[in-house]
Amino acid sequence: MDLPSLRKKPTYAVLLSALQALEVKPNSWNKSTAAESSLVSDEAVVQRFLMSIIASDLEWIPESTDIGGEFLTALEQKELLVDLASRRVAERCGRSAMPEMTRTWVIPASSNLPEIKFDIREPPLTGDNLGLKTWGTSYVIAKKLENFGIQYLDHFFTKSIVSRSGTSKRSLQSGAKVLELGAGTGLVGIAAGAVWGAEVFLTDLLDIADNLLFNVEKNAPTVGEFGGHISCGVLDWREPNQALEIVPVKKFSILLAADPLYDDDHPALLANVVEKFLQDDEGSRALIAIPIRDNATRALSEKLSNLMAENGFLVDCSGEEICQDDWEASNGPEVKLLWTFWKRTIISKSTTEN
Ligand SMILES: C[S@@+](CC[C@H](N)C(=O)[O-])C[C@H]1O[C@@H](n2cnc3c(N)ncnc32)[C@H](O)[C@@H]1O
């Protein structure tokens, strides 16, 4: 695609269409549309074009233009173009420069379920609030949940319920509750609610809680259509006892944690929280998914595995996927994603006697 030259005084419509074509769409959003963002291969040319629009007074734009029956003043046209150019620059600067946005995540239809869409809000990233972004791991895991339910959690499912389409659907037994740790924007827990027809409690740090609540409320009707229920609250791994007052049950049958390790203290904190909140029985499972971005995350992952083993947990099953984060300088590298279902080996005496 050739970008219009400002020297030739292009019209509002020409500039608008060029700016729309330059949108950078994230990888995990939709692979096929990501390719559209590379219409112009030389990013330096794109950056110059965008900055020239922002810097120009676009004085050739007429006082009033009819845009599909709507009249825009010259000022309105210039503001729209400069806003869009600024957004395109922000997209190219990395996710942290992006304004708030809502992204639609699609779980493709299967033989048992229709396509399910979730709208997930991401505020602008501030500081190190990583939970305000939806990470590649969570989308990979969300798409695998149905299969995980059939293969590794079958003992928790009732045979079927009637879904909105009138077809039968597997559903998690009402007694089997799900807890998500470090839910971030909530994609995995919300998807589990719908795909498994499950009651899910999503948790994260206090700073992340408002946005998580927004996404839970926004997607609760969709989850409800599939027989599930979602709610959320604060569970800081450093102070797990404080969460005891707000969690719906003290022990959960299934724990979920996607991309939870990035600090040295995370493996010990997470292993402790899993020990505290996972039901004391043979059937309960903790699904932990870790993207191995570098040697540091590999070391954190190994540390977690050792601590889980020390706490009396065993790998029930595990596997690998490929995931990719977006909004890095030019889309993040593909990384290996390790997922593991942990189960207890030592069941406490009080539980076995009950
Ligand atoms: C890389 S993000 C992953 C978020 C989400 N699971 C996803 O995959 O999109 C790590 C998450 O762990 C959360 N987290 C970090 N430390 C935590 C702690 N002490 N207690 C609870 N959550 C924590 C962060 O707030 C963040 O939401």
Side-chain angles (χ1 to χ4, degrees):
M1 173 192 164
D2 286 333
L3 293 173
S5 159
L6 291 203
R7 274 198 299 267
K8 294 186 180 161
K9 302 186 174 174
T11 63
Y12 169 81
V14 167
L15 288 172
L16 183 69
S17 131
L19 288 170
Q20 286 169 338
L22 289 173
E23 181 178 4
V24 178
K25 291 176 180 164
N27 269 352
S28 49
W29 199 341
N30 183 338
K31 281 267 180 202
S32 60
T33 53
E36 292 166 12
S37 65
S38 56
L39 289 170
V40 182
S41 54
D42 188 342
E43 270 300 312
V45 173
V46 175
Q47 290 285 359
R48 271 202 302 277
F49 170 69
L50 295 172
M51 295 313 291
S52 67
I53 291 184
I54 293 166
S56 167
D57 58 9
L58 305 171
E59 88 285 346
W60 62 89
I61 292 205
E63 264 318 300
S64 172
T65 305
D66 179 359
I67 317 272
E70 189 192 354
F71 283 90
L72 293 181
T73 65
L75 187 61
E76 286 170 334
Q77 294 170 68
K78 287 176 196 171
E79 280 178 359
L80 283 169
L81 292 173
V82 170
D83 275 1
L84 209 50
S86 305
R87 188 174 257 265
R88 295 295 97 93
V89 171
E91 289 165 3
R92 285 164 170 78
C93 291
R95 173 65 182 90
S96 56
M98 284 293 292
E100 174 185 310
M101 62 179 169
T102 295
R103 306 163 76 180
T104 300
W105 299 87
V106 180
I107 308 295
S110 68
S111 51
N112 298 312
L113 289 173
E115 178 182 277
I116 314 177
K117 290 182 179 173
F118 303 108
D119 291 331
I120 302 286
R121 183 178 77 172
E122 296 184 8
L125 284 192
T126 51
D128 61 353
N129 284 339
L130 300 186
L132 300 179
K133 172 179 164 35
T134 307
W135 294 84
T137 298
S138 64
Y139 189 40
V140 172
I141 295 300
K143 285 189 289 182
K144 288 198 67 74
L145 286 174
E146 187 187 6
N147 189 263
F148 281 160
I150 293 167
Q151 284 198 277
Y152 310 120
L153 302 169
D154 192 52
H155 50 288
F156 283 125
F157 282 82
T158 54
K159 287 293 169 235
S160 65
I161 61 159
V162 176
S163 74
R164 63 174 171 179
S165 58
T167 55
S168 63
K169 173 184 172 295
R170 286 155 46 84
S171 179
L172 213 64
Q173 292 160 12
S174 58
K177 310 267 190 276
V178 182
L179 173 70
E180 184 177 12
L181 301 164
T185 58
L187 179 59
V188 170
I190 291 168
V195 171
W196 291 344
E199 185 170 336
V200 185
F201 192 68
L202 296 87
T203 64
D204 207 302
L205 295 168
L206 182 62
D207 285 351
I208 310 299
D210 279 354
N211 189 58
L212 183 58
L213 177 62
F214 179 92
N215 285 333
V216 163
E217 288 180 344
K218 173 106 180 133
N219 292 282
T222 305
V223 172
E225 285 177 30
F226 289 88
H229 179 265
I230 44 176
S231 54
C232 61
V234 174
L235 194 168
D236 185 333
W237 309 333
R238 292 164 297 190
E239 297 165 331
N241 286 341
Q242 293 196 358
L244 283 173
E245 288 166 23
I246 53 134
V247 287
V249 289
K250 303 298 164 228
K251 296 276 186 182
F252 292 79
S253 300
I254 301 171
L255 301 192
L256 303 171
D259 198 351
L261 307 181
Y262 55 90
D263 269 358
D264 285 346
D265 55 355
H266 281 162
L269 291 174
L270 192 66
N272 180 46
V273 172
V274 171
E275 163 60 24
K276 188 167 194 67
F277 287 100
L278 191 70
Q279 186 85 38
D280 246 343
D281 60 28
E282 287 170 14
S284 299
R285 298 287 182 271
L287 168 60
I288 303 179
I290 303 170
I292 307 298
R293 296 191 173 92
D294 49 22
N295 286 338
T297 41
R298 182 180 302 283
L300 292 177
S301 168
E302 286 169 3
K303 193 170 166 191
L304 177 70
S305 293
N306 292 336
L307 289 167
M308 291 292 286
E310 280 174 25
N311 283 356
F313 286 86
L314 191 74
V315 174
D316 183 45
C317 49
S318 62
E320 290 180 14
E321 299 289 325
I322 295 294
C323 79
Q324 189 172 27
D325 287 315
D326 45 42
W327 302 119
E328 304 290 332
S330 57
N331 293 327
E334 290 192 336
V335 299
K336 187 164 75 173
L337 166 62
L338 296 179
W339 56 262
T340 307
F341 277 91
W342 293 93
K343 65 177 181 183
R344 287 186 184 275
T345 48
I346 306 159
I347 312 299
S348 79
K349 208 159 173 271
S350 59
T351 311
T352 46
E353 280 169 358
N354 287 337

